[in-house]
Amino acid sequence: LFRSPGSFFRGAADKIQVIYQGCHPAFKQVYTQDSREAVRRKYGLPGRFLLSVGTIEPRKNLLTAVKSLLYHPLPLVVVGRETDYAKKVRDYIVQQGLQNRVHFLSNVSMEDLAMIYQSATVFCYLSIFEGFGIPVIEALYSRVPVITSLGGCFSEAGGPGSFYIDSTDGEMLAGRINALLQDAGLYQQVTGKGWE
């Protein structure tokens, strides 16, 4: 249930202004191909990849992105601090023989992270709940197609150009990824709408 700010605070509603969160200026800069390639080599990243950014904890729901690997060709690059939940994710990776398709990174500088975003093929953010979802904005500034969770705050961050799916459905995620990979026109359309 949504309640307006005026229902919590005394005062006139016309004195309340909503100011959305932004992201670090590093994501608004366009990096050269040579710079992005140097960062890709530095971290041993594949040429094309699905990117997921965020602490590796249950609510961020990385396991769905890993499960999607069974249905599409992109490797997955994960950037984030690990918690106990990472063991569950890593166990699944081993069980499914996906060790060569998942790359874990942590302690990445903001500038390197921005170049990793700009090098990604697709960005996924399948968090179960968020206050806003800043990584979605980082990806949109990086001109990368975004696939994120249906409901909650995600459409506010992702806008009309992003894909919204059931955050627990790895096959649905793979379907959106495959659609983007197979249709250059769709890929350009989604990227353009996200940037707008």
Side-chain angles (χ1 to χ4, degrees):
L1 177 65
F2 174 77
R3 293 178 66 188
S4 71
S7 66
F8 292 102
F9 304 104
R10 293 176 192 203
D14 62 352
K15 292 186 176 183
I16 297 171
Q17 182 179 4
V18 176
I19 300 172
Y20 288 104
Q21 284 185 275
C23 66
H24 193 280
F27 299 95
K28 299 174 185 179
Q29 180 177 333
V30 177
Y31 298 92
T32 67
Q33 179 68 36
D34 288 345
S35 297
R36 293 194 313 267
E37 182 61 25
V39 166
R40 193 184 68 73
R41 284 194 309 269
K42 175 180 176 180
Y43 294 101
L45 302 180
R48 300 179 71 188
F49 57 89
L50 173 64
L51 177 63
S52 179
V53 175
T55 303
I56 304 169
E57 62 184 347
R59 89 178 158 90
K60 298 289 190 181
N61 192 31
L62 176 63
L63 193 54
T64 298
V66 173
K67 288 179 177 179
S68 79
L69 296 175
L70 301 174
Y71 309 101
H72 68 80
L74 291 179
L76 172 64
V77 173
V78 180
V79 182
R81 181 180 57 82
E82 294 191 20
T83 68
D84 292 342
Y85 171 75
K87 181 181 183 328
K88 179 178 181 179
V89 174
R90 287 181 180 275
D91 286 348
Y92 181 86
I93 289 167
V94 170
Q95 289 166 7
Q96 297 298 321
L98 298 169
Q99 298 94 315
N100 294 329
R101 293 196 55 210
V102 184
H103 306 263
F104 288 93
L105 306 176
S106 60
N107 300 314
V108 174
S109 73
M110 197 65 73
E111 187 174 73
D112 284 0
L113 180 59
M115 285 188 258
I116 291 170
Y117 269 101
Q118 289 183 21
S119 300
T121 307
V122 178
F123 178 75
C124 72
Y125 195 68
L126 301 177
S127 183
I128 294 167
F129 68 89
E130 290 293 332
F132 188 59
I134 291 174
V136 170
I137 294 182
E138 293 169 347
L140 294 175
Y141 267 112
S142 302
R143 300 179 191 222
V144 176
V146 171
I147 303 171
T148 189
S149 303
L150 182 64
C153 63
F154 303 101
S155 62
E156 208 169 1
S162 299
F163 286 117
Y164 302 95
I165 65 167
D166 176 344
S167 62
T168 63
D169 192 334
E171 287 188 53
M172 185 181 285
L173 171 59
R176 295 293 185 260
I177 292 167
N178 286 325
L180 287 164
L181 295 178
Q182 294 163 10
D183 187 338
L186 176 64
Y187 191 94
Q188 292 304 318
Q189 178 186 356
V190 169
T191 303
K193 280 188 179 178
W195 173 247
E196 284 178 24

